Amino acid sequence: MSHGSDPTPLRSLPARKGLSGRLSVPGDKSISHRALMFGALAIGTTEIEGLLEGEDVLRTAAAMRLLGAEVAHLGPGRWRVAGRGIGGLVEPADVLDMGNSGTAARLICGLLAGHPIFAVMTGDASLRRRPMKRVTEPLAATGARFWSREGGRLPLAIQGAREPLPLDYTLPVASAQVKSACLLAGLCAPGVTRVVEPEATRDHSENMLRHFGATVRVAAQGHGRVIELDGQPELRAAPVMVPGDPSSAAFFVVAALIVPGSKLVIENVGLNPLRTGLFQSLREMGAVLEVGAPRLEGGEPVGDLTVSATGLTAVDVPAERAPSMIDEYPILAVAAACATGTSRFRGLSELKVKESDRLTGTAELLRAAGVECAIEGDDLLVQGCGGPPPGGGVVATQMDHRLAMSALVLGLACRDPMRVDDGAFIATSFPNFIPLMNQAVGAEAIATA
């Protein structure tokens, strides 16, 4: 399943019985990207367990190799990175191709801004449409220079700063990617880099910087936070255990809630409170999500989730929750489609600049299943069916893996099968999604159409 492959149309049949068993989802994508990058910047050898081996993260591994780090694959999920130290990356001999990964592209812009090297970055057709100006504009204040296509789009050429300046930047829109890019650039700059975010976003970069020995201070400010990083630290190699990705667990949680008779245990899920807005929203809808064996690994809270089928009621999700569940709105919309009443998700402007216009794509997904919905400004309204939606439609996935997986989960709970025009992109974040879901359903519910 690669981006250059022919489309892979898939169909999803109504589940004949509930999901059951115990399973583990792939490693957290955000933490996997950062483990490779911080390992490349550390002194010594970083051992990583549970790394997500989807295409997006493999692009980051390839980029770190081109930038001079030694990156070795030791076995399933097990990787070793011999780092170069802060400021030690080398000029890449080839173009950095980030595939479909906006996270990798934006974070590596920050990484490169602080190194006095020249690099060119590109991506697939979807990534080349996504805006990069939101990171290149603040990063230019380090002294780095950027050349791009109109609108700040890839391909992008980067000349890093010889003597990078620390940043003092207030994000206009909450974005963990922009925040992380600024912090990565600040590693190479003397003095203190300061980033102010209007809403608290996922803090994996801050947690991992501390894990590798950097000094990071975080203070609350209104709904948001002020993050300060002391520049030019000596990062020291540290082992990283990557927890299961809550964004991947989300598909199984919702599937188990909406398919009658389900009871499922999802092991080793990352439960960082800045990532669990979906779980909070589902609990407000009446879901019972039990957390077993809570623990801390590498500065990140982890636990085992038990979820059972539940009748759900509509929810009103406030805009300030969006940063903690920005990737989960399509699958929450699937839960809302099966709930009783009309749900409203507020403040979703960020969804318009994801892998696709995910706001419009989510609405079209619901309509393909016969579910009534509307977009009002930046809000999405979903009229729940109070049970199984009609189904029967074909979803245009727009090269967006989360839309594809959400549509396939919805098909399990519909009266008639659902189809997606292309599921090839699921491999970017969740390579074994289909066999794992079929294992939980106990049947070949999802297959090539």
Side-chain angles (χ1 to χ4, degrees):
M1 286 192 189
S2 72
H3 300 124
S5 67
D6 293 330
T8 306
L10 299 169
R11 58 134 175 82
S12 175
L13 299 175
R16 292 199 179 91
K17 58 189 178 84
L19 286 73
S20 62
R22 301 177 72 89
L23 57 87
S24 298
V25 296
D28 186 284
K29 188 156 69 145
S30 297
I31 295 174
S32 293
H33 282 304
R34 288 161 173 83
L36 292 166
M37 291 182 201
F38 289 123
L41 293 172
I43 299 290
T45 301
T46 293
E47 304 274 353
I48 306 170
E49 296 272 354
L51 190 90
L52 170 64
E53 291 171 357
E55 289 188 28
D56 283 10
V57 175
L58 298 180
R59 298 284 186 172
T60 293
M64 293 306 103
R65 283 195 190 102
L66 279 170
L67 294 168
E70 291 178 30
V71 182
H73 183 216
L74 307 179
R78 294 179 52 241
W79 291 68
R80 179 189 295 135
V81 183
R84 306 275 312 180
I86 295 290
L89 299 182
V90 301
E91 191 159 281
D94 203 348
V95 172
L96 304 175
D97 185 348
M98 303 326 303
N100 191 241
S101 182
T103 300
R106 293 187 177 122
L107 267 58
I108 289 172
C109 282
L111 202 78
L112 295 170
H115 285 77
I117 57 179
F118 177 80
V120 177
M121 181 187 293
T122 190
D124 69 9
S126 166
L127 188 59
R128 291 196 304 271
R129 288 195 295 268
R130 296 175 67 181
M132 293 292 153
K133 202 174 269 188
R134 55 172 56 189
V135 286
T136 59
E137 283 187 343
L139 291 174
T142 64
R145 290 184 293 159
F146 301 90
W147 297 268
S148 70
R149 292 165 63 223
E150 184 194 357
R153 287 174 166 77
L154 299 179
L156 176 71
I158 303 159
Q159 176 62 57
R162 192 157 296 284
E163 294 181 358
L165 300 169
L167 297 173
D168 189 337
Y169 185 63
T170 298
L171 274 71
V173 177
S175 166
Q177 293 177 359
V178 178
K179 171 181 68 175
S180 298
C182 292
L183 294 174
L184 280 161
L187 286 170
C188 294
V192 176
T193 285
R194 181 174 177 271
V195 183
V196 181
E197 52 182 5
E199 308 277 351
T201 67
R202 55 184 68 178
D203 58 354
H204 304 307
S205 294
E206 296 94 308
N207 291 343
M208 197 170 288
L209 280 165
R210 289 194 191 97
H211 185 60
F212 278 85
T215 299
V216 182
R217 293 174 294 280
V218 179
Q221 182 171 294
H223 283 299
R225 302 182 310 162
V226 180
I227 301 106
E228 292 184 342
L229 167 70
D230 290 353
Q232 298 181 331
E234 182 167 297
L235 297 186
R236 295 177 300 280
V240 178
M241 282 286 298
V242 181
D245 195 323
S247 297
S248 295
F251 299 103
F252 288 85
V253 169
V254 170
L257 286 171
I258 63 177
V259 175
S262 297
K263 183 173 184 181
L264 197 60
V265 180
I266 309 163
E267 299 174 332
N268 193 44
V269 179
L271 297 173
N272 184 308
L274 293 167
R275 289 288 300 282
T276 51
L278 172 79
F279 301 152
Q280 181 180 349
S281 301
L282 290 173
R283 286 186 173 112
E284 290 170 8
M285 297 174 79
V288 178
L289 304 177
E290 298 170 4
V291 177
R295 54 202 183 273
L296 270 180
E297 290 180 358
E300 294 282 344
V302 178
D304 301 336
L305 280 180
T306 300
V307 55
S308 302
T310 315
L312 302 174
T313 54
V315 68
D316 190 322
V317 182
E320 57 266 24
R321 195 177 295 166
S324 70
M325 54 180 296
I326 197 65
D327 289 328
E328 281 78 67
Y329 282 104
I331 195 63
L332 181 62
V334 167
C338 299
T340 301
T342 301
S343 295
R344 182 185 283 265
F345 310 157
R346 299 178 186 271
L348 304 189
S349 58
E350 272 297 281
L351 287 191
K352 296 174 183 175
V353 292
K354 300 298 285 183
E355 282 83 340
S356 61
D357 176 348
R358 203 176 268 168
L359 180 54
T360 302
T362 300
E364 289 173 353
L365 183 166
L366 295 172
R367 291 183 187 121
V371 178
E372 291 183 31
C373 61
I375 296 171
E376 292 183 0
D378 292 331
D379 294 1
L380 177 65
L381 280 75
V382 182
Q383 175 66 55
C385 297
V394 179
V395 176
T397 55
Q398 305 174 50
M399 302 166 71
D400 189 319
H401 50 125
R402 299 197 194 278
L403 288 177
M405 288 186 280
S406 298
L408 294 170
V409 168
L410 182 56
L412 299 174
C414 286
R415 292 197 292 272
D416 290 318
M418 290 292 294
R419 287 178 165 78
V420 299
D421 65 344
D422 188 5
F425 285 81
I426 292 171
T428 64
S429 68
F430 203 154
N432 64 333
F433 169 77
I434 292 170
L436 206 56
M437 189 63 81
N438 284 336
Q439 175 191 321
V441 175
E444 289 291 305
I446 299 175
T448 305

